[in-house]
Structure formats: structure tokens, C-alpha cells
Amino acid sequence: MTDNSSDRTVTSGEQSFEFDLEISELSALVSDCAIALFDADGFITEWNSGARHLTGYDAETIGGDHYRSLFPTDAREDGRPDRLLERTRAEGTVEDDGWRLGDGDSRIWVCEVIATIRADGDVGVPVASAADLDGYLWFVRDRTADHGRARELREEKAFTESVLRAQPDILYAYDTDGNLIQWNEQFERVTGYDPEPPSDVDPLTFIAPEDRDHIGDAIERILEHGERLTAEGRVLATDDDRIPYEFNSARIVDDGDVLGFTGVGRDISDRKARERELERLERLNAVIRTIDDTMVTADTRDEIEAAIVDTFAASEGYRFGVIGRARGVTTGEGHSWEPTARGGIDAAGADGCSSFVDPPVDADGESALETRTVQRYRALRDSSIEQWRHHAREHDYGAVAVIPIAASNQPLGALVIGTAEPSAFPDREREVLQEFGGTIGHAINVMAVRRLLYQDSVVELEFESTDRGDACIRLSDELGCELSVDHVLPLTGEVFIYYLTASNVDPDRVRELARDDEAITDYRLIDADSDESYWECVVRNATIAETVTGYGARLQSKTVRDGVAKLTVQVSSDVALQEFVDTITSAYPDSRLRSKRTVERPVETRGDFRRTVESMLTDKQRMALESAYHGGYFEWPSRHSNAEEIADQLGIARQTFHQHLRVAQAKLLSAYFGDAD
């Protein structure tokens, strides 16, 4: 194609129009369009000023190059230019968008149209054979700016959509007529909303009926007064659950016109759960404070138990309280439990609570009396355990907690409390209840000890034991000696300080075996002579004294000779003796009760105690003790006088004063702690 013009025919219907195709004339008609002519093989033959302006190539430079030279490398390698020309031959005209190359490998996004030029002069008509094709007409418009804007819009839309998808909150927008116009996937997941086909959706459709009035008022204030509001309401979820949400909403305004409102809804279930937990803890603490005040003034265990269950039953948030005592131990079967006090529930219902203290084998739980830990059972109205489900529905409660009551690691009983809330007793509340159970056990134990100290008569039991589970028996057996327990001081429910006298044994052997015994965590030689050594040992568990202390009993004496122990224990007359004996013989099977007797104890007045002390002191010892007391020697941190001043007043040496005072103090403490004759 060498001429700049030629005769062409365009066919329309049954009429034909002939015209001369002049590229310069086409350029004048479409000044902002790049126009070029290709020969039948796709090589560039004509190039107008628009094409030069678009690509930067002039006609001399680009002339003779193939159409494919205008494509980026990846498109050329993919064969895209050749396929476009092939389609043009088959279809007559082809439109395409894409990147093209300009001078200096600049990239231009274009919208192009390619049309066939037939040998017979027709333009844009399919060509059946190569002989019929004279060339191609190429029209191109620069759309780089539009493509950039479109890409920015797509990126902005993709970013917005990704934010909406990633947002854990529900996002929404409504117009002034209450039609839902924008939302995210979380909105669909929570509400179950199906946007296909679109329909008018009132904002209150997804709100629980009981919350619709105040949410509706909030929407009205937003639209009418432009307030930015935060409101709480429960969303109706797909599973008919009511999920608490906090909504933050504001108006949509354009040039002063109110278009609707938009906002964010955040799931506040965790926050509400924490608030409920805090409220429950506050109520529980109030209940415990009330019970603590009662336990201080109570005279009997029955009073303590009645106060506990009555206070729980009367407290908001709790349905009932049932307390029971741990009864005799049966080897291999654990402790039994019998209700002794109840509040907020009838006798039959209280008896039914025993299945929580000793749960069935198919239940997910353990006996609180055995584990010594609080057990909780939730959602009981729908429990898979039939007796629990029936009991919960009959007595209208949703969850229970079983609190073990123990002293010195000895189970005394268990408290069962019920609440309406099916998900009650979270971990923090269980911790408080665990501590509360220990407080009850301590109060009961202290009360038993107090009764033991002040009763006129007590029951004295004598045991004999060869059980090597007891650390003292084990130590005596291995040493082949006699050990006498002079005093036992409980540090905690599991740790005791033993003051022991070892007779006819080398102290080094005692030290060696004590070091190797796992139950003895610490030891110290206090004094020793040729026949005896006096020891202080810290023992963890593994002693009969632990079991005795748990019942508020008192170990009067314990002597172990060659692994055979004889123990004398005093208990209050109102202690269940058979249960107490069974507890000891079950914990230490190689033990047996040898005798039982009631011991009358004389009433000792303050004057009796004073006379006892005076009979033990010499005149010089009494004088040293009395002058030190009245002279302010024992006042601390600021003393009114020191040892030297008091010694001068008595006319004795300071060392002598210290000697008299120390002996007098020892005799006074002996009288107080019961070691005096």
C-alpha cells in the first residue's frame, strides 16, 4: 500500500457507497485518535499525527514495523497481537483494551479498534482468504488516565471490602426510610441476613423485642438531631440466641442533606460476662462477710451450719444451700455425706444433692470430699444425667457448686449451693469458695478445740499402732530406740513441728535417718546428753497427729518404742467417736483402739492458776519476774528500763538477774502450756 488514498466501498443494506480513504482526512475528523494502516501481514504503512502524539514514534521511525512491536514482551510472547489480527480477519472488526508500548518503552493503556480492508474496497467485513485482504485500519484512543482512575477505584473498593471482611464487628448503613444499604459479612453471619434478593430491612428486625424501643429512640435521635450515640441491645442471632451488642452510630450527611445513618456493632458478651462475674463475686463476698460474723459468735457447729445455708438461701442470685457432714470412712468407698442443714429447699431436695457430692460414674466430676477441691456442675436443666436434669427442673436452678469443708486436710463435710444462672461459678468464684470452705473447716475445728479446753469432762482414747505410714513410728523402728513426742505444733493443715526426745540412740544416727526420710523436711538438734537427745523436726503429713488435729482432738502423749506406738488422745464428748476411730484406723490400718474412758477435769480458776505458778517459783525468781514486768522491761519497742537498772534495784548482778528471769519465764510457760506437775 503506497498511495495515501484509495477508492473504498462501504455496504449498508442493499445500497453501496464509494469513497476515497485518505488518512489525513480521517485524522482531521478525529483529531484525538491515533490512526494507522497496516498491510495484509500486519506491518505499519501509514501513521498519523495522533499516533505520533500518542506513542512518541514518528512515521519514519515506526513505518515498516509490525503491529506486534507495539505490545509489551509478555503479550508478544503469548501471541496476543497475532490472535487479534486473526480475529479481525474472521469477524471484520475487533475491539480491545490493554497495554501498548510507546517510544522509550513507555506504557500506554489504550482502547483500540481494528478493522479489515478488503481488496474490493470494503472496510470492516470478514475476509475469507488472504487474497481478499488488502490490510487493516487501526483506531486507538489513550485511556491511561481512565485506567489509572479505574484501578484506584478497584483498589479502594478491594481495600474497603477487605476491611469489611476482616472486621470482627458488624457494620451497617441504613437510609432515612430504614432500608439496609450497606453491611459486611459479619453482619450476615451474626444475623443470618440473606441479601439475595434485596429487600427492605427495618433496623429493628435484628434486635430482641425487649430492646427495640430504646434502640428505636436512639435511631430517631440520630436522624432528627444529629446526635452521635452509643446504645446497647441484644441481637437476635441465627441460633435464636440473644447476643449483647454495643452500637456506635452517626448520621450520613451530604451537603446538608441527611441520607441515613451508619454505625458499628461490637459483641460485648465477654464484657457482660465479666460484669456478671464481678457482681456475683461482690454478692458472694457479702454473703461470706455475713457468715463470718455469725461464726465468730456461734457456740455450736449446728449454729454455724444453719447460718451458712440460711444466708445463701436469702441472698440474691442463689436458690438454696445444703450442708452435710462427712460420715465414717469405708475403705475403698470414700466418705459418705448426709445433709444436716438446708435453706431454700425441702428435705427431699436436700437429700437429692448427695449425687453432686458423690457424682455418678457417668458424670463429668469427682467427689469434692476426696479431691478437697470445689466441684461445679452447669446447665443442669439440660444435663445428660437424668437425675440431675429432673432435680434441677423440679427445684428451678441451673448450676451448683460443691464446696469441701476440711480442717488439717481432714474432710468434715461439704456445702452445696445452687443458683439460677446455668453458667455460674467461674474460676475466680471457685477460688473464693475454695478458701471459704477452708474457713468453715477452721471455724469448726477451733470450736471443737475450745470445747475440749473448757469442758469439765473429756473422752480419753488410747491407741496402739505399728503403722509405718506414721513418720515417728517409722523412725523409731529403723533406729530401734524409744521416741517420745513432747509437743506437736501445727504450722498448717499439713505441716507440723514435732518436739521429740530420742533415748538410747546416737544423735548422729537420728540425724542420718531424719535426713533420708521424705516426710521430715527439716530437723534440728536442740540438746543432747549421754542417754537422750532433744530434737525439733518439721514433718509434712505422714503422722497420726494430722488426723487427730482435723477433729479438734488433742494428742496428750505419744511414746514409740522399737516401732510400737502408744498414743493417748483427748476428744470432746460430743465428737462422733466411732467415726473418729474409723478415720484413724482407715488412714493407718496397723492401728487399733486399746481403751476408752471419760476423764473428769477439775475446774481451774484464775486464782488456781496463779497459785500453781507461785508454788513453782522461788522467791528470787518471783521477784525477778515481778520487777521486770512492773518495771517495763517487757515493753517493746520502747523499754522503760533495762536489765542492768532492774538488777541494781534488786541488789544483784545483771547475769544473776537474767538467770532468775529466764528460769521464772520457763516455769510460767510450763504452767500455761500444761507441762507443770
Side-chain angles (χ1 to χ4, degrees):
M1 186 182 295
T2 58
D3 295 335
N4 289 336
S5 64
S6 58
D7 293 335
R8 307 298 178 195
T9 301
V10 177
T11 303
S12 176
E14 297 180 353
Q15 293 181 321
S16 297
F17 303 92
E18 294 185 0
F19 65 96
D20 291 334
L21 186 61
E22 181 75 39
I23 192 170
S24 60
E25 293 177 357
L26 292 174
S27 299
L29 291 173
V30 191
S31 58
D32 64 340
C33 186
I35 303 175
L37 296 177
F38 307 153
D39 65 15
D41 294 322
F43 289 93
I44 300 170
T45 60
E46 297 291 336
W47 194 257
N48 78 336
S49 60
R52 183 178 65 251
H53 178 74
L54 173 66
T55 65
Y57 293 115
D58 55 29
E60 291 75 11
T61 303
I62 197 68
D65 287 352
H66 195 276
Y67 168 58
R68 68 174 68 94
S69 66
L70 299 171
F71 284 79
T73 303
D74 56 346
R76 291 199 304 269
E77 293 177 350
D78 186 50
R80 182 173 179 78
D82 298 321
R83 288 197 302 273
L84 287 173
L85 294 178
E86 184 180 346
R87 282 182 55 203
T88 303
R89 291 193 297 271
E91 300 175 15
T93 60
V94 169
E95 293 185 15
D96 187 53
D97 296 330
W99 291 109
R100 302 295 181 263
L101 295 180
D103 189 19
D105 288 335
S106 61
R107 295 169 68 90
I108 311 156
W109 185 270
V110 302
C111 175
E112 67 179 17
V113 177
I114 309 173
T116 57
I117 303 175
R118 289 170 56 96
D120 58 7
D122 290 341
V123 176
V125 178
V127 176
S129 66
D132 296 332
L133 180 65
D134 193 23
Y136 300 92
L137 182 60
W138 186 55
F139 296 90
V140 183
R141 289 184 182 275
D142 185 357
R143 290 290 181 264
T144 304
D146 293 340
H147 177 71
R149 286 192 294 272
R151 183 183 61 194
E152 291 175 357
L153 290 173
R154 287 195 304 272
E155 291 176 350
E156 182 179 343
K157 181 180 179 182
F159 174 76
T160 302
E161 290 177 349
S162 66
V163 170
L164 292 176
R165 286 193 301 270
Q167 177 60 253
D169 302 329
I170 61 174
L171 306 180
Y172 53 87
Y174 283 86
D175 62 20
T176 54
D177 295 326
N179 299 321
L180 185 62
I181 57 177
Q182 184 67 48
W183 61 92
N184 66 342
E185 292 181 1
Q186 182 67 6
F187 183 96
E188 296 177 8
R189 283 194 293 268
V190 173
T191 65
Y193 174 60
D194 183 5
E196 298 295 342
S199 59
D200 298 342
V201 181
D202 188 274
L204 301 180
T205 301
F206 308 113
I207 302 297
E210 55 269 27
D211 295 332
R212 288 175 181 171
D213 287 344
H214 77 268
I215 294 295
D217 293 341
I219 294 174
E220 185 176 344
R221 288 162 59 191
I222 292 170
L223 294 176
E224 293 186 1
H225 306 290
E227 295 185 43
R228 193 180 188 89
L229 291 180
T230 298
E232 292 184 7
R234 282 161 292 183
V235 171
L236 293 174
T238 54
D239 56 359
D240 293 330
D241 195 12
R242 285 167 162 75
I243 306 174
Y245 265 79
E246 179 182 80
F247 300 100
N248 291 277
S249 303
R251 282 198 310 193
I252 306 173
V253 181
D254 182 30
D255 291 335
D257 296 330
V258 178
L259 305 181
F261 70 94
T262 184
V264 177
R266 173 158 297 178
D267 187 343
I268 56 174
S269 299
D270 290 342
R271 191 182 80 190
K272 288 297 185 182
R274 289 193 298 270
E275 291 175 355
R276 288 195 301 271
E277 181 178 350
L278 181 59
E279 290 174 0
R280 290 189 60 85
L281 283 174
E282 290 176 350
R283 287 199 300 266
L284 178 58
N285 287 329
V287 170
I288 291 175
R289 285 194 298 270
T290 301
I291 294 173
D292 285 344
D293 293 340
T294 303
M295 287 195 296
V296 170
T297 59
D299 293 325
T300 65
R301 180 173 176 176
D302 290 340
E303 290 183 32
I304 292 178
E305 293 176 345
I308 291 171
V309 296
D310 290 343
T311 305
F312 271 107
S315 176
E316 181 183 359
Y318 297 98
R319 281 282 190 262
F320 62 83
V322 180
I323 198 168
R325 301 181 185 181
R327 298 303 182 187
V329 180
T330 303
T331 303
E333 297 182 3
H335 298 81
S336 64
W337 181 85
E338 297 178 11
T340 53
R342 56 184 171 83
I345 195 169
D346 57 27
D351 289 337
C353 290
S354 61
S355 64
F356 296 114
V357 180
D358 186 16
V361 292
D362 55 340
D364 184 16
E366 301 177 86
S367 169
L369 294 176
E370 302 302 326
T371 63
R372 312 288 200 275
T373 58
V374 173
Q375 302 291 311
R376 68 181 174 196
Y377 302 98
R378 294 169 156 178
L380 292 172
R381 294 186 182 92
D382 300 315
S383 173
S384 59
I385 309 299
E386 182 179 357
Q387 66 184 110
W388 287 359
R389 184 172 65 251
H390 175 75
H391 195 268
R393 292 179 179 180
E394 181 181 1
H395 298 283
D396 191 24
Y397 64 90
V400 300
V402 184
I403 303 100
I405 300 171
S408 299
N409 206 34
Q410 178 63 38
L412 301 179
L415 168 65
V416 181
I417 54 176
T419 179
E421 187 178 347
S423 59
F425 308 115
D427 292 343
R428 180 65 186 126
E429 191 170 357
R430 290 176 67 189
E431 293 174 4
V432 174
L433 289 172
Q434 182 76 37
E435 184 176 346
F436 178 56
T439 301
I440 299 172
H442 178 73
I444 293 173
N445 185 262
V446 168
M447 182 174 294
V449 172
R450 188 167 62 236
R451 287 198 311 271
L452 182 61
L453 291 175
Y454 293 103
Q455 281 182 335
D456 295 337
S457 63
V458 296
V459 178
E460 193 170 85
L461 305 174
E462 290 187 2
F463 290 90
E464 183 178 276
S465 178
T466 57
D467 199 301
R468 288 174 57 87
D470 182 281
C472 295
I473 297 175
R474 185 167 59 249
L475 193 62
S476 170
D477 189 27
E478 293 178 0
L479 289 171
C481 72
E482 179 177 328
L483 291 178
S484 62
V485 178
D486 301 313
H487 187 67
V488 178
L489 177 64
L491 288 183
T492 67
E494 300 176 351
V495 181
F496 298 81
I497 298 179
Y498 271 67
Y499 295 94
L500 305 172
T501 299
S503 303
N504 303 317
V505 63
D506 188 338
D508 289 339
R509 288 200 61 214
V510 177
R511 182 181 290 106
E512 179 183 351
L513 290 177
R515 182 181 62 243
D516 296 337
D517 196 306
E518 294 182 356
I520 301 176
T521 60
D522 196 9
Y523 54 88
R524 180 172 66 94
L525 177 61
I526 298 176
D527 193 12
D529 56 27
S530 58
D531 296 326
E532 295 181 339
S533 55
Y534 189 52
W535 296 84
E536 177 187 76
C537 297
V538 179
V539 183
R540 179 178 296 275
N541 298 325
T543 64
I544 297 177
E546 174 196 3
T547 307
V548 169
T549 304
Y551 275 85
R554 188 176 184 181
L555 182 64
Q556 285 294 101
S557 65
K558 180 177 181 180
T559 302
V560 190
R561 180 177 290 110
D562 298 329
V564 179
K566 296 186 182 300
L567 302 90
T568 302
V569 178
Q570 287 188 349
V571 297
S572 174
S573 57
D574 55 359
V575 168
L577 293 180
Q578 188 58 53
E579 176 184 336
F580 175 70
V581 172
D582 288 346
T583 300
I584 292 179
T585 55
S586 294
Y588 298 92
D590 294 330
S591 304
R592 61 193 182 99
L593 179 66
R594 296 296 302 270
S595 66
K596 179 186 73 172
R597 61 187 180 128
T598 300
V599 178
E600 299 293 334
R601 297 194 301 190
V603 177
E604 186 176 40
T605 66
R606 181 178 178 182
D608 293 334
F609 177 76
R610 184 169 183 172
R611 284 189 291 274
T612 299
V613 174
E614 288 179 346
S615 67
M616 297 169 64
L617 300 175
T618 66
D619 290 341
K620 291 181 179 181
Q621 292 166 359
R622 183 190 59 76
M623 187 176 297
L625 186 63
E626 190 172 352
S627 60
Y629 176 77
H630 291 288
Y633 178 77
F634 297 111
E635 294 186 14
W636 188 263
S638 58
R639 292 177 175 175
H640 294 293
S641 57
N642 56 37
E644 187 171 357
E645 291 173 336
I646 297 175
D648 289 342
Q649 292 174 355
L650 296 177
I652 58 177
R654 183 164 59 88
Q655 292 82 358
T656 303
F657 167 74
H658 274 302
Q659 180 182 3
H660 291 326
L661 182 61
R662 186 176 182 85
V663 173
Q665 288 174 319
K667 292 180 177 180
L668 175 63
L669 294 174
S670 295
Y672 176 78
F673 287 115
D675 293 336
D677 293 335

